[in-house]
Amino acid sequence: MRPIQATVHLSAFAHNLQIAKSRAPKAKVMAVIKANGYGHGLLNAALGLKGADGFAVLSLDEALALRSAGYQQAILLLEGVFSADELEAVSQHHISIVVHSDAQIDMLLNAQLPHPVSVHLKLNTGMNRLGFVPAQFSYALARLTHCTNVANITLMTHFATADEALGIAHPLALFNQVTVGLDLPKSLANSATILRFPEAHADWVRAGIMLYGSSPVATETAASFDLKPVMQLNSKILAVQTLEAGDSVGYGHQFTADKKTRVGVVACGYADGYPRHAPNGTPIAVAGKLTRTLGRVSMDMLFADLTDISDADVGAPVELWGTQVPVDAVAQAAGTISYELLCAVASRVPVKVLD
């Protein structure tokens, strides 16, 4: 069996959830566990985050899997229903839905449901992805208010720049202006907003990447927020090559040694979810010591510099990311974000769950 393995630490989930609760003590926490729990496994994430007040997912199948597993918390479909025939199951299993379009309101108005459905009405405050623009919002709210298939309404938006220097001042002011006088629950804050902007915590916060132990803010480390990594991606050294000055390694000879260099061949590649575009120098740990990757990532293998780790040989343990190597550091080196790396872990990588 190939030695690569992802380990999911449930205690880290619980710790990070507590950070979210402590940052927003007056709000309920909705744990975002879409995309197969950001690559950690939907039910693994739900188990680790069982103390959350609710879960947010993308698809009805995910919501039904949570209900089948016995979770009774609020469950929210972040893009709502995709067709009218999903409303029956939504109603039957008491699943909440985001409403972001007139078509979805039409579905609710025309449906015959066993129970009214809780909805989150989405205002577009500048993301320009989903939601009603301010001029359409009051009419959408009126239609939902008079719909017998709607149980209650929460007002929501999503901030496009909560993780950047621009912040949320303008979209928050717009949201407050559009919703002034409306005595309804509100859901505004993603992870970056939870950690940076307490004025926008409102009634519900939607914690995402922070629950997985990654920083939502590029200029701040996860450790600076006291977040703990949930996933460790580990493997081992398969072989060791010794390069002389002028020798190269890997496809395209992307690394050429300028001195005698020991190279460890690691059992992990882009087919396992490691980024192919990670350059020379991406951080990696071998035998408990930090080092760097060399050369181009292959489908099933990549290369680590063992020159200064004399005791590392075939079978030496490797951490691709986790406690020694933050996933954010790998993502930054590869020119991407941790969300992509975590979600991209391949199904062929076995997952071990630890308390």
Side-chain angles (χ1 to χ4, degrees):
M1 181 181 294
R2 288 178 79 230
I4 189 169
Q5 178 178 269
T7 303
V8 172
H9 297 271
L10 299 182
S11 61
F13 267 134
H15 171 86
N16 297 335
L17 176 61
Q18 190 56 44
I19 297 296
K21 289 184 174 183
S22 68
R23 289 295 189 118
K26 295 181 180 180
K28 294 181 179 180
V29 178
M30 182 164 287
V32 182
I33 58 174
K34 61 180 179 176
N36 192 32
Y38 286 43
H40 295 64
L42 175 73
L43 295 182
N44 294 337
L47 181 59
L49 298 167
K50 61 186 178 183
D53 300 293
F55 296 117
V57 295
L58 187 71
S59 71
L60 179 59
D61 287 345
E62 291 171 315
L64 294 178
L66 292 172
R67 286 287 185 248
S68 295
Y71 292 98
Q72 298 301 310
Q73 289 101 320
I75 298 176
L76 177 67
L77 298 184
L78 286 168
E79 293 181 10
V81 294
F82 297 98
S83 62
D85 58 10
E86 292 184 326
L87 284 172
E88 177 75 21
V90 162
S91 171
Q92 194 69 38
H93 295 277
H94 302 286
I95 297 164
S96 303
I97 58 172
V98 168
V99 171
H100 59 79
S101 70
D102 286 321
Q104 290 175 326
I105 297 178
D106 291 340
M107 294 177 199
L108 283 166
L109 288 170
N110 295 325
Q112 294 183 347
L113 303 179
H115 312 286
V117 175
S118 296
V119 305
H120 283 53
L121 178 61
K122 191 163 193 175
L123 174 65
N124 175 7
T125 54
M127 174 74 83
N128 292 316
R129 192 171 62 176
L130 296 177
F132 293 91
V133 297
Q136 299 171 338
F137 192 76
S138 60
Y139 179 60
L141 177 59
R143 295 183 76 200
L144 290 173
T145 300
H146 293 96
C147 178
T148 57
N149 284 322
V150 173
N152 51 67
I153 301 170
T154 297
L155 308 179
M156 74 177 293
T157 194
H158 192 63
F159 297 125
T161 56
D163 58 332
E164 299 180 4
L166 190 59
I168 66 166
H170 176 71
L172 178 59
L174 180 59
F175 180 88
N176 289 336
Q177 176 186 342
V178 173
T179 62
V180 65
L182 297 176
D183 186 20
L184 293 170
K186 298 176 178 65
S187 173
L188 311 176
N190 57 3
S191 289
T193 305
I194 292 169
L195 295 170
R196 299 183 70 203
F197 302 107
E199 66 271 25
H201 287 167
D203 301 286
W204 282 93
V205 295
R206 303 187 304 275
I209 194 64
M210 67 177 292
L211 298 178
Y212 303 89
S214 174
S215 174
V217 184
T219 56
E220 302 284 345
T221 65
S224 71
F225 295 119
D226 193 27
L227 300 172
K228 294 184 177 180
V230 175
M231 180 193 290
Q232 285 180 287
L233 186 63
N234 297 99
S235 191
K236 291 182 179 181
I237 298 294
L238 289 178
V240 176
Q241 303 290 345
T242 300
L243 306 183
E244 300 295 336
D247 289 343
S248 301
V249 67
Y251 286 116
H253 287 179
Q254 295 297 300
F255 172 79
T256 299
D258 59 5
K259 62 181 180 180
K260 190 171 183 178
T261 304
R262 293 182 73 237
V263 178
V265 183
V266 182
C268 177
Y270 60 77
D272 299 298
Y274 196 87
R276 182 180 181 274
H277 49 285
N280 290 313
T282 299
I284 191 171
V286 180
K289 298 176 182 177
L290 289 174
T291 184
R292 59 177 182 154
T293 64
L294 301 173
R296 181 177 289 167
V297 176
S298 303
M299 182 180 288
D300 307 308
M301 290 169 280
L302 54 84
F303 308 101
D305 188 350
L306 305 184
T307 306
D308 296 327
I309 312 177
S310 58
D311 57 337
D313 212 325
V314 173
V318 176
E319 181 182 279
L320 289 310
W321 61 68
T323 55
Q324 279 191 284
V325 182
V327 66
D328 294 319
V330 179
Q332 184 176 23
T336 184
I337 56 176
S338 60
Y339 304 69
E340 181 179 9
L341 300 190
L342 295 173
C343 291
V345 174
S347 59
R348 76 178 192 175
V349 176
V351 177
K352 182 180 181 180
V353 179
L354 296 179
D355 290 335

